[in-house]
Structure formats: structure tokens, C-alpha cells
Amino acid sequence: MDNWQEKKTLITRNLQEVLGDERLTEILKQRDLKIYWGTATTGRPHVAYFVPMSKIADFLNAGCEVTILFADLHAYLDNMKAPWELLSLRTQYYEAAIKAMLTSINVPLDKLKFVRGTEYQLSKEYTLDVYRMSSVITDHDARKAGAEVVKQVEHPLLSGLLYPGLQALDEEYLKVDAQFGGVDQRKIFTMSEKYLPQLGYAKRVHLMNPMVPGLTGGKMSASEEDSKIDLLDNPANVKKKLKKAFCEPGNITENGVLSFTKHVVFPLMKAGETFKIYRAEEHGGNAEYDNFEALEAAFAKQDIHPGDLKASVEQAINKLLAPVQEIFKDPKLQELTKKAYPPPVKVKGNVNSNSDEISPVKLDIRVGRIVDVSRHPDADALYVEKIDLGEDEPRTIVSGLVNFVPIEEMQNRDVVVLCNLKPAKMRGVESKGMVLCASIDEPKQVEPLVVPKDSKPGDRIVIEGYETGEPDDVLNPKKKVWEKLQVDLKTNDDLFAVWQGNKLISKVNGNPVTSGSMKNAPIK
């Protein structure tokens, strides 16, 4: 491909936005583009990674020099999503997985350069530039730049503010003309364009993919179990997850299944290939499409049933995954997978999602019903409650609610209870749990949370995105598990109870935990 216009068309197709279009044209008229794509080595790569992989195939076919950065240091800085001791293993897993994916779509690896962030980000020169960057960038700009990428928490760590500046410096240290990423990186890209010239470095071109909806309809996320298909999922799991996928008849806007065909299936098709919809003769028989627009139009007119689209995408996904899974049959890679992403482990009888990570999965929160309530004999502000939690007999729990809820409103009240705190004596009465309340100090106001609609005693309450795994039998008080998780529990503007923005919901029916009237109040 000698024509620069053809190269530019291939480089920019299916992108949502290009920052620096004139510069891109100027470079392509003179030589091939040098570009990098970075990925923080956190959760396991899943099938959505084929979206950037298919663009990397486009870049290579357009003659670009492509560098893939395994951003291991970034993974640690992003609210420590990857524990330091697992970083090296997870980076090895990412490298193996991404090379296997590129092999699956016939991308020659000899045209690529693979770099780990820690290979150069700990050098004297880079470290000095981090300090230089921190001397010119404002706290406001660093926070704003990372708003859609760095995990947002109520009490952010300084590391999250460093993250965007490091990503900007990567462009200089990898000696590229352009950086490729999702449109969620846009604020980091514009920050880079503003601040790199202040350090005497060139402004780069930025190429942005749209955010492809996950199979459940939102962003495809490694933390939402059903919104992603893992690279090692067998065909039965692929079928199960696609069955749950949001794919409304005629809906072409929030349709993760259709988006997958646009960003992965069609770009990877060779000349003369078509995408086949397999269906029975009475439903119109098989149909073939050689471009996405025709498929989208047919789906919009409801000429294609969602079930038939899912069945065809299922075949396409399994075809992509088969070579990856063949590579991962290697015993060394199987061992690496286990070590990089350890399965739930038993610790003194407790089952954790990961013993080293403070995760909300550890919390045993349940719906309870107060079957008996009385004043504490030795403390005027305390109630002693007997609460039915779906166990053999009610638990005794002590709550400081006398000044906030009349005793008659406590009797037979449904409440949300944290059940796995270590039992503690409160003025001589042992309390085996905590009634969770929205609570503010000035002026003092406390209100028990409202249980999800259609709940019964014993129903588990979980946090969206953290539905899988079993809670600890007892939270370890020495590790201050509850204290560390509690700081991010609150009610939001819409009166929903949330942890880091994720709703508390019933595991039984998915209905949310709410507050009667208190907005933006800590939950204690």
C-alpha cells in the first residue's frame, strides 16, 4: 500500500475521533506512522480486547510501526488494581494473551514491538521528567484527566493523580508520532497535548476508538462477570453469556452484539468473505452480508431476529477464541494463569475472592427482620434487637438508634445488616452484627437503610460488579477490612446505597437498597 490516502483511510476507519488530523496527514505524506497502544495489566483480558487488536491489524496493514506497551506500573498506580507482587505475573499473562489474540487474527508478531513500562519508567531520566511534569500540572487538571480512566474513590491516592502524567510522558519515551486508545482516554490525550510542549516535547496525534458497549448493554468491563467473555471461556460459557446479552429487536444503538460485528468481525474479514446469519427456511433461510451497514439496516428493520444474530456471533467468537485456547493448553501458560489470577483461597475457614485484596465481596450483608426490640438495660441510647436473618434462630444485635427511631417503628422493621463483624460486647450485651444506616454528624441524623423491594430475611445483599464469590466468615479486625471498605459506602443523589458508585442490590432479585430521605450520606 503506497498511497498515503489509502493508508490514512485504513488507520482512521471505525474510529470515533482523531486529534491532530493535519499532523497525521503531514507525516503520512513523508513516511509511515509510529504509533503505540498501551494496556494496564489488571483484570484478565477478555473478548473485547479483539476491538483494539483489529485496529492494530489495520495499523500494521497501513505500514505503521506499532509498539504495544504493557503498562505494569500504571496498573499499580490505578488505586492498586494489581497488587505489586502479582504485577510481573499479570504482565506475563497479558503478553501471552495478546500475542495469542494477534496470532488468532493472523497479525505477524515480527512487525510489532512489545515494551513493559517498568523497563524505562524507573530510569533516572523518566523519573526526573515525572518531577518536571508535577511542577507544571495542576491538581485540577491531573484529577480531570484521569476522571474516566483512573478508579474514582472518595479518598483518592496520590498515585491516581500521577497516572495521566506518566501516560503523557510515555509518548515521548516510546518515540512515537501517535497514541491509540479508547475515547474514555480523551481527557488524558488533551492533557498530554497541553503539557508535553511545556517540557519541550512535541505534541502527538491521538486516535480514539468508540467505547463499545458490553454484552449487557453498558461498557464491557473486566469487573462485570456477565458483560465479558473471557479468552479461555469454553463454547458452553460463550453460549450462556451471549444468551444473557442485551440485544433488543431493532435496537442498533446500545447493542453490544451488533457492535462486536462492526468493530471485530467485519474489519477482520478477508476480501470476498461474508458474515453469515444461519436460520431455518421458514424464517427466511440463511443470509450473507459483506459489509456492516447492510447487516445493521437489516437488524434495524427487524429482518434479523436477535437470536439468529447471537447464534452467528457465537460462531465468530468461538472461531476467534479457538487458536488462543490452543496456545493456552501449554502447561506453562496454564500454571501462569493460576498464579497471575489466583482462584478463591481458604484462609482459616474463610473464602475470599483474593486474600490480599480488600474487596466488597468479603462483606456478608443480609436482609433482616427485627422480631423483638427493647432498651438496653445499661445504656439509654442503645436498643437490643433480636433480628431474623434467615438462620436457625434470631441474632442479638445492639444499635444506637434510640434517639433517631421510636421503639414502635423498630418492631417488625426490615433492616439491612452487616453479619460478619467480629462479635463485640456493648455495655455488657454481645452484639453479633450491625444494622446499616445512612448517618451524618452535623446536624446528627441517622436513618436505617431501606431493604430492597420483595425481600425476605436472609436474602444476600451484594454490590453490583462484585456478585461472585463468598464473603468471609468473620472480617479480620487486624486488617481493618470493614473500616477500609466503609469509607466508600454512602447514599447518592438518587437515594441509592452505593459503594464506589456501584449499587447495593439483592442477590435474589436485583432490586436496590435505598435510603428513605438522606442523600450523599455515609453508610455506617
Side-chain angles (χ1 to χ4, degrees):
M1 188 182 290
D2 297 321
N3 184 320
W4 70 264
Q5 282 123 325
E6 283 178 23
K7 289 181 179 182
K8 185 176 177 184
T9 300
L10 198 51
I11 288 166
T12 58
R13 73 168 175 171
N14 286 338
L15 293 178
Q16 183 163 324
E17 190 177 2
V18 176
L19 295 176
D21 186 73
E22 288 178 13
R23 174 77 182 132
L24 176 63
T25 301
E26 193 184 304
I27 293 167
L28 287 173
K29 282 180 176 177
Q30 296 169 31
R31 58 173 171 80
D32 287 327
L33 193 72
K34 294 176 183 176
I35 186 167
Y36 104 85
W37 173 74
T39 180
T41 50
T42 54
R44 280 168 68 149
H46 46 81
V47 77
Y49 275 66
F50 277 109
V51 175
M53 292 306 112
S54 67
K55 275 311 300 174
I56 285 167
D58 281 347
F59 300 150
L60 289 169
N61 288 332
C64 298
E65 287 180 35
V66 181
T67 299
I68 291 181
L69 171 68
F70 296 113
D72 45 1
L73 196 54
H74 289 69
Y76 182 71
L77 291 175
D78 187 359
N79 207 47
M80 293 183 287
K81 278 186 186 172
W84 191 259
E85 59 276 12
L86 290 180
L87 268 182
S88 171
L89 293 164
R90 289 193 178 175
T91 305
Q92 288 172 49
Y93 181 88
Y94 263 69
E95 187 164 346
I98 282 169
K99 284 179 176 175
M101 291 173 83
L102 291 166
T103 302
S104 164
I105 61 175
N106 300 313
V107 172
L109 300 181
D110 56 356
K111 288 182 164 188
L112 287 162
K113 192 157 68 170
F114 295 92
V115 177
R116 295 179 187 214
T118 45
E119 287 173 21
Y120 65 89
Q121 288 166 348
L122 299 175
S123 69
K124 180 182 170 184
E125 296 75 18
Y126 188 90
T127 305
L128 185 58
D129 270 342
V130 172
Y131 286 128
R132 288 176 66 212
M133 178 71 83
S134 69
S135 74
V136 293
I137 189 169
T138 64
D139 162 85
H140 170 268
D141 282 5
R143 199 180 299 274
K144 183 180 165 189
E148 291 182 45
V149 177
V150 179
K151 195 173 182 182
Q152 298 301 297
V153 295
E154 195 150 330
H155 302 286
L157 297 168
L158 180 60
S159 58
L161 296 177
L162 292 174
Y163 187 113
L166 267 68
Q167 188 168 330
L169 288 172
D170 290 339
E171 297 178 347
E172 173 65 25
Y173 279 77
L174 292 170
K175 300 298 175 197
V176 294
D177 308 304
Q179 184 180 172
F180 165 60
V183 76
D184 60 337
Q185 310 262 330
R186 191 182 196 281
K187 288 174 182 170
I188 291 180
F189 293 162
T190 54
M191 189 212 81
S192 170
E193 292 186 2
K194 177 180 177 181
Y195 284 104
L196 275 188
Q198 292 188 33
L199 300 185
Y201 298 138
K203 190 189 286 191
R204 265 61 182 193
V205 175
H206 293 103
L207 309 172
M208 283 168 273
N209 249 354
M211 296 312 293
V212 177
L215 298 170
T216 52
K219 179 179 169 182
M220 205 179 286
S221 159
S223 64
E224 283 188 44
E225 201 57 40
D226 288 336
S227 84
K228 63 167 181 119
I229 291 169
D230 191 86
L231 298 179
L232 305 183
D233 269 342
N234 60 33
N237 272 346
V238 172
K239 185 183 282 293
K240 186 174 86 174
K241 287 179 180 178
L242 272 175
K243 200 173 178 182
K244 289 184 185 176
F246 179 78
C247 189
E248 193 176 45
N251 182 345
I252 59 172
T253 53
E254 277 295 306
N255 190 328
V257 182
L258 201 57
S259 291
F260 191 81
T261 67
K262 178 180 181 178
H263 293 282
V264 179
V265 177
F266 282 97
L268 294 176
M269 288 193 324
K270 295 181 178 65
E273 274 189 322
T274 58
F275 178 67
K276 289 190 177 70
I277 296 286
Y278 298 93
R279 58 190 175 193
E281 285 300 325
E282 61 265 30
H283 296 132
N286 294 346
E288 295 187 30
Y289 298 90
D290 60 8
N291 67 83
F292 172 74
E293 290 69 27
L295 175 72
E296 184 182 47
F299 190 84
K301 287 192 290 185
Q302 299 192 30
D303 291 347
I304 298 172
H305 186 272
D308 294 327
L309 178 65
K310 284 183 182 184
S312 300
V313 168
E314 183 187 329
Q315 287 198 25
I317 288 174
N318 285 329
K319 188 178 170 187
L320 285 170
L321 294 183
V324 175
Q325 291 171 5
E326 192 59 39
I327 289 167
F328 269 79
K329 282 180 181 173
D330 180 333
K332 285 181 184 169
L333 289 180
Q334 290 187 1
E335 187 61 26
L336 174 63
T337 306
K338 280 185 201 160
K339 283 182 177 174
Y341 298 95
V345 291
K346 281 220 165 215
V347 182
K348 294 182 183 173
N350 302 338
V351 182
N352 304 333
S353 59
N354 184 319
S355 62
D356 291 325
E357 293 185 19
I358 302 293
S359 160
V361 172
K362 291 174 176 286
L363 302 178
D364 181 3
I365 303 175
R366 288 183 241 161
V367 171
R369 179 165 297 146
I370 300 173
V371 294
D372 185 58
V373 60
S374 60
R375 292 284 193 95
H376 192 295
D378 298 317
D380 292 342
L382 302 179
Y383 284 130
V384 178
E385 305 126 3
K386 300 280 186 192
I387 302 183
D388 176 6
L389 290 158
E391 297 169 327
D392 293 339
E393 56 185 46
R395 283 198 200 194
T396 299
I397 292 177
V398 179
S399 305
L401 291 168
V402 170
N403 297 326
F404 306 100
V405 185
I407 195 163
E408 58 272 16
E409 288 183 22
M410 291 293 286
Q411 187 67 41
N412 296 319
R413 186 185 189 115
D414 287 339
V415 285
V416 178
V417 180
L418 177 62
C419 297
N420 59 343
L421 285 174
K422 188 177 179 183
K425 284 208 170 173
M426 297 181 72
R427 299 292 288 272
V429 177
E430 189 173 56
S431 181
K432 296 182 177 177
M434 180 194 291
V435 174
L436 294 179
C437 301
S439 174
I440 54 174
D441 293 330
E442 292 293 334
K444 188 67 177 172
Q445 196 179 345
V446 181
E447 184 181 270
L449 295 177
V450 179
V451 306
K453 193 179 167 196
D454 303 325
S455 294
K456 61 181 190 302
D459 284 359
R460 278 280 310 283
I461 301 294
V462 292
I463 289 160
E464 279 183 326
Y466 298 88
E467 292 96 334
T468 54
E470 290 301 315
D472 290 357
D473 291 344
V474 179
L475 296 174
N476 187 334
K478 287 183 181 173
K479 291 192 174 177
K480 298 195 178 298
V481 177
W482 166 242
E483 290 81 355
K484 288 175 182 174
L485 293 168
Q486 185 273 325
V487 293
D488 291 316
L489 270 172
K490 65 175 187 176
T491 60
N492 67 11
D493 275 334
D494 301 313
L495 296 174
F496 292 116
V498 297
W499 183 81
Q500 293 188 358
N502 301 301
K503 290 179 192 170
L504 276 66
I505 57 171
S506 164
K507 193 169 184 181
V508 177
N509 56 36
N511 290 330
V513 175
T514 55
S515 168
S517 64
M518 292 174 65
K519 296 180 179 180
N520 299 308
I523 292 171
K524 309 179 182 179

